[in-house]
Amino acid sequence: MALGILLVIAGILIAVYPPLLSIIVASVLIIFGVTVTMIAYRMKKMQKRFDDPFVDFFFRF
């Protein structure tokens, strides 16, 4: 319910102030990028402890 209210408020703010859309999209992309980087880092650390072909195939770098 809180997420729905937050989305409605974000929609109203975007309608009132359109440049806010670019700030919201940029924030979401930054958070997504940081999350993916953290997951990749954790998987690489786990790879040293466990020999997993999934980790080896997708996270070679």
Side-chain angles (χ1 to χ4, degrees), residues 17-40:
Y17 186 67
L20 187 63
L21 177 62
S22 62
I23 295 170
I24 292 172
V25 171
S27 299
V28 168
L29 290 175
I30 290 170
I31 291 170
F32 181 72
V34 168
T35 302
V36 169
T37 304
M38 290 173 60
I39 289 171

Side-chain angles (χ1 to χ4, degrees), residues 11-60:
I12 292 170
L13 288 174
I14 289 170
V16 172
Y17 186 67
L20 187 63
L21 177 62
S22 62
I23 295 170
I24 292 172
V25 171
S27 299
V28 168
L29 290 175
I30 290 170
I31 291 170
F32 181 72
V34 168
T35 302
V36 169
T37 304
M38 290 173 60
I39 289 171
Y41 176 73
R42 297 284 293 184
M43 289 296 226
K44 285 188 92 150
K45 282 180 70 174
M46 287 178 61
Q47 181 183 16
K48 293 178 183 175
R49 284 190 263 159
F50 306 106
D51 189 24
D52 188 9
F54 173 79
V55 174
D56 190 36
F57 181 74
F58 287 107
F59 298 105
R60 291 185 184 182

